[in-house]
Amino acid sequence: MRGEARLFGVLGDPVDHSLSPAMHNAAFLACELPYLYLRFRVSSEVLPQALAEARRLDMGGLNLTVPLKEVALALLDDVTPEARRIGAVNTIVLEDGRLRGDNTDARGFLRSLAGRVALEGGHAVLIGAGGSARAVGTALATAGVRHVTIANRTLTRAADLARTLEDLGPLRTTIASLDALEDGVGLSDARLVVNTTSTGLGNDPIAVRHGATPHDCVFMDLVYGAQPTPFLRAAARGRRRTLDGSGMLLHQGALAFEAWTGRPAPLDAMRRALADAGLAIGAAPPAAKGH
């Protein structure tokens, strides 16, 4: 594999915001691998065609982002137990003409939180119930969180995710509407509030009554960028600690690199590439100071 040129990429819609190419191309360069990683705008409707093209081109591997993570499950030759348990795929390994789906989001999420939030025995709030929420929820359940609240526009989807998480172990779940977050219902003991939706790519924040949470509650948005998302800006104004998705991006990407290449990921090179693109890994502006 060392001397064989291979093509890798991220599929999604939207995808232009993705910094995965900068991170992975830096990793390939650091390891002296003749690989290239590109963005491909692909909708759910044409994903089967895109995967067929990836197979025909003998690509080395793919990442998937919204809205493809759940759709891909039925289109692959093999799926790892973790991806099957989560119900979503974010990484595809192509080998001998076969497509194997994996999910590195849950492990990447936990690595990004290490030393920042005490999860065991705590209460976490998930906003959203899609593929990213399934990965984060699975991670929280395996990390020993006692109680997970799932807030979503569609309560039936929240209820489906709640049942999935409860099957993973001794975990209590609550479902809530987005209006409940604005009213502060059930937030009094939350240690972590995670926005798993793609609203951070736009300008409309999800309304949360920040003052209803403990002062040390952390607000995290899985979306990353050079500027904080509206969700994180609102949390900082509410004097709460904030965290963006750049750390999760780094760590899930490192795990994907290792799945594709079979070698340790050059984390320092990947981190520098993201910093050069304007990201301070795992960071967001600190909570506002009182006068």
Side-chain angles (χ1 to χ4, degrees):
M1 291 285 287
R2 186 176 182 86
E4 180 183 352
R6 302 296 294 274
L7 181 63
F8 295 76
V10 56
L11 311 183
D13 187 15
V15 75
D16 289 347
H17 67 285
S18 175
L19 293 181
S20 290
M23 174 176 66
H24 283 296
N25 286 324
F28 296 152
L29 182 63
C31 294
E32 299 182 347
L33 293 169
Y35 300 164
L36 177 65
Y37 188 107
L38 301 172
R39 301 184 192 97
F40 299 93
R41 186 174 180 180
V42 173
S43 66
S44 299
E45 292 74 19
V46 300
L47 180 59
Q49 178 184 344
L51 293 178
E53 285 294 304
R55 198 193 305 262
R56 183 181 67 82
L57 292 170
D58 192 27
M59 294 180 70
L62 293 168
N63 287 130
L64 302 179
T65 186
V66 292
L68 307 178
K69 294 183 179 184
E70 295 168 280
V71 180
L73 273 174
L75 303 175
L76 304 175
D77 299 308
D78 300 298
V79 177
T80 64
E82 183 170 12
R84 184 72 65 188
R85 183 169 61 250
I86 293 171
V89 168
N90 82 319
T91 299
I92 298 176
V93 179
L94 289 89
E95 190 172 12
D96 297 327
R98 295 181 65 80
L99 306 178
R100 184 178 77 251
D102 195 4
N103 196 305
T104 64
D105 278 337
R107 285 169 286 157
F109 170 79
L110 289 179
R111 290 185 185 185
S112 73
L113 285 182
R116 298 174 183 271
V117 184
L119 294 174
E120 188 170 1
H123 174 206
V125 178
L126 288 184
I127 303 174
S132 295
R134 295 175 71 91
V136 170
T138 300
L140 293 172
T142 57
V145 168
R146 171 185 56 84
H147 178 200
V148 173
T149 295
I150 304 164
N152 196 53
R153 286 190 175 88
T154 307
L155 293 182
T156 53
R157 289 203 74 187
D160 289 342
L161 177 54
R163 285 190 290 270
T164 298
L165 298 184
E166 287 180 347
D167 288 341
L168 297 178
L171 176 74
R172 181 165 71 92
T173 62
T174 304
I175 62 173
S177 66
L178 296 184
D179 289 342
L181 297 181
E182 188 172 6
D183 294 336
V185 177
L187 297 179
S188 62
D189 64 344
R191 295 183 186 174
L192 177 68
V193 179
V194 186
N195 179 23
T196 71
T197 75
S198 58
T199 56
L201 298 175
N203 295 316
D204 297 324
I206 293 174
V208 180
R209 188 179 170 192
H210 304 95
T213 64
H215 287 291
D216 60 352
C217 180
V218 173
F219 282 74
M220 180 177 183
D221 198 325
L222 299 192
V223 170
Y224 58 85
Q227 299 298 321
T229 65
F231 180 80
L232 295 185
R233 289 200 301 270
R237 288 195 300 270
R239 300 187 179 92
R240 295 300 183 268
R241 292 189 294 155
T242 60
L243 187 67
D244 71 5
S246 57
M248 180 176 172
L249 169 70
L250 172 68
H251 290 294
Q252 64 81 24
L255 290 163
F257 177 94
E258 292 168 2
W260 294 329
T261 67
R263 63 176 66 196
L267 269 177
D268 288 342
M270 298 169 79
R271 184 180 286 108
R272 283 195 302 270
L274 293 176
D276 289 344
L279 297 187
I281 299 303
K289 302 293 185 181
H291 295 293

